[in-house]
Amino acid sequence: MYTANEQRYEKMVYRHCGKSGLKLSAISLGLWQNFGFGSLFETAEKMCHTAFDLGITHFDLANNYGHPFNGSAEENFKKILDRGLRAYRDELCISTKAGYEMWSGPYGDRNGSRKYLISSLDQSLKRMGLDYVDIFYHHVFDPNTPLEETALALDQIVRSGKALYVGVSNYNRQQTAEISEIFKELHTPFIVNQPSYSMLNRWVEDDGLDKWAKENGIGLSLFSPLFQGLLTDRYLNGIPDDSRLAKANTSLVTRFSQDKLEKAKKLNLVAEKRGQKLSQMAIAWLLHNEAVTTVLIGASRPSQIEENVKSLENLDFSPEELAEIEAILKD
């Protein structure tokens, strides 16, 4: 039976999610890849234990994680909870989402309807063996459903006790601002947006989402902080034959370019001068943005989690370092 490390809270950094009272670990574990059907369960369990032992309290899931066997990541997470982690439920912040295609027919396709969101969360709670989740997200903006309907469904979910807070994911600044106004009228605890954001994907800044979030007290929980592995040492010396990129098993296939690789190599030199790995500097750079609450990391083995958490050992950037990084990214 699993017993957590007694020193787990000594080194982790915790930040309030926007202006809410909820604190999240600065680094969170995303269960998008390597936790679903076909993944080695023992490794998945060890990664969750390693994360919690290092002070990571936020575990992020979605109804469709484990694709093509949608829901399998949540099912495996239930097993991990049942095998010891559930004893620490009140020390965990567990989130899940709904919005993308999930089951056959018009009620489980990509949408934000009341029917889909409430039904999906009921399924997720059953798969994980939970009475509630801490944060429930609408996973992707739906232009075909009135925003008020989506907001009212999320509000009802909180009032029914099935979630403590709500959030949105993949919403831009305007979409976030619009649903935020509805939540204000309803007094719904809307606290977070989960966008993609990295050194090589700065749409959040171009859109103004980060500035808006900071001004309006909404936290940002970031996914793909390492640009699907390009901001690691994985590809600095070429594309390994066993990599997901070589096997075309990653969205990086359509986003990869020699220009981005050259930027990664230059950024790696800056990281070396800071005494960090490229991945560690990339995470620290994101956390330097005051709008950011937490960075979601993925992993395929426990050592990756340990390595990424070490990014917290050096979160400060000199003006010269920031200028050098900016010059590389804008070149």
Side-chain angles (χ1 to χ4, degrees):
M1 184 64 74
Y2 167 69
T3 301
N5 176 16
E6 292 184 357
Q7 285 78 46
R8 58 189 176 276
Y9 295 119
E10 292 183 0
K11 294 183 178 181
M12 178 54 64
V13 174
Y14 299 93
R15 296 179 167 189
H16 282 282
C17 192
K19 291 183 179 178
S20 77
L22 181 69
K23 289 183 179 180
L24 298 179
S25 46
I27 293 177
S28 302
L29 184 62
L31 279 69
W32 176 28
Q33 302 282 352
N34 304 310
F35 289 88
F37 183 86
S39 301
L40 188 62
F41 176 80
E42 290 76 11
T43 301
E45 182 177 49
K46 180 60 176 176
M47 288 193 288
C48 286
H49 291 172
T50 298
F52 189 52
D53 284 343
L54 291 170
I56 292 176
T57 55
H58 182 210
F59 294 81
D60 183 72
L61 299 102
N63 59 355
N64 64 336
Y65 286 1
H67 182 79
F69 297 93
N70 291 345
S72 59
E74 291 180 330
E75 291 172 350
N76 280 336
F77 191 60
K78 177 184 184 299
K79 295 178 184 177
I80 294 170
L81 288 170
D82 288 343
R83 287 163 55 95
L85 195 59
R86 195 178 299 276
Y88 303 93
R89 172 63 183 100
D90 289 339
E91 298 181 44
L92 305 177
C93 180
I94 300 171
S95 61
T96 195
K97 316 176 204 61
Y100 283 105
E101 294 83 355
M102 182 59 190
W103 64 85
S104 300
Y107 309 126
D109 63 7
R110 177 171 172 167
N111 72 89
S113 72
R114 185 185 192 89
K115 168 71 172 174
Y116 174 38
L117 293 176
I118 293 176
S119 297
S120 180
L121 179 54
D122 285 343
Q123 294 174 16
S124 290
L125 293 175
K126 183 177 181 180
R127 279 191 291 267
M128 292 187 285
L130 296 173
D131 295 324
Y132 69 94
V133 291
D134 298 279
I135 305 172
F136 183 61
Y137 291 88
H138 182 217
H139 206 165
V140 60
F141 179 77
D142 176 18
N144 299 312
T145 298
L147 206 54
E148 185 176 18
E149 178 178 343
T150 298
L152 283 167
L154 293 172
D155 181 74
Q156 179 181 330
I157 282 168
V158 171
R159 294 181 188 279
S160 67
K162 296 176 182 178
L164 302 185
Y165 305 89
V166 298
V168 295
S169 180
N170 297 298
Y171 275 52
N172 63 26
R173 180 195 55 78
Q174 180 179 345
Q175 294 159 351
T176 307
E178 289 178 0
I179 200 169
S180 178
E181 287 304 309
I182 302 172
F183 284 137
K184 286 179 182 177
E185 293 181 11
L186 297 171
H187 298 287
T188 311
F190 169 52
I191 65 169
V192 63
N193 187 339
Q194 187 178 120
S196 62
Y197 182 25
S198 73
M199 284 179 150
L200 297 176
N201 174 25
R202 301 174 69 180
W203 78 269
V204 164
E205 299 170 29
D206 297 335
D207 178 66
L209 175 60
D210 59 339
K211 183 179 180 181
W212 181 93
K214 175 65 177 175
E215 292 174 349
N216 289 272
I218 301 299
L220 294 183
S221 173
L222 311 178
F223 71 89
S224 294
L226 303 180
F227 203 75
Q228 293 294 295
L230 193 57
L231 289 169
T232 70
D233 55 13
R234 180 75 162 151
Y235 301 109
L236 294 177
N237 298 310
I239 302 174
D241 293 336
D242 64 344
S243 67
R244 289 171 59 200
L245 180 57
K247 298 175 182 178
N249 184 28
T250 173
S251 62
L252 183 58
V253 171
T254 59
R255 305 168 75 191
F256 178 84
S257 68
Q258 191 62 36
D259 175 65
K260 287 187 175 67
L261 179 58
E262 290 304 314
K263 288 182 178 181
K265 291 180 178 180
K266 293 177 182 178
L267 290 168
N268 186 56
L269 297 177
V270 180
E272 288 178 348
K273 289 187 291 185
R274 286 172 50 82
Q276 290 181 311
K277 290 194 172 186
L278 175 57
S279 58
Q280 294 167 343
M281 185 182 76
I283 291 171
W285 183 84
L286 291 171
L287 289 169
H288 186 73
N289 187 327
E290 293 183 355
V292 175
T293 299
T294 186
V295 173
L296 291 161
I297 61 169
S300 59
R301 55 187 182 275
S303 61
Q304 291 178 328
I305 300 173
E306 294 170 341
E307 179 179 304
N308 287 334
V309 169
K310 288 181 180 178
S311 63
L312 301 178
E313 295 175 3
N314 187 7
L315 293 176
D316 296 325
F317 289 84
S318 69
E320 292 76 18
E321 286 174 330
L322 291 173
E324 185 176 4
I325 290 169
E326 193 66 22
I328 293 170
L329 295 178
K330 287 190 173 181
D331 184 21

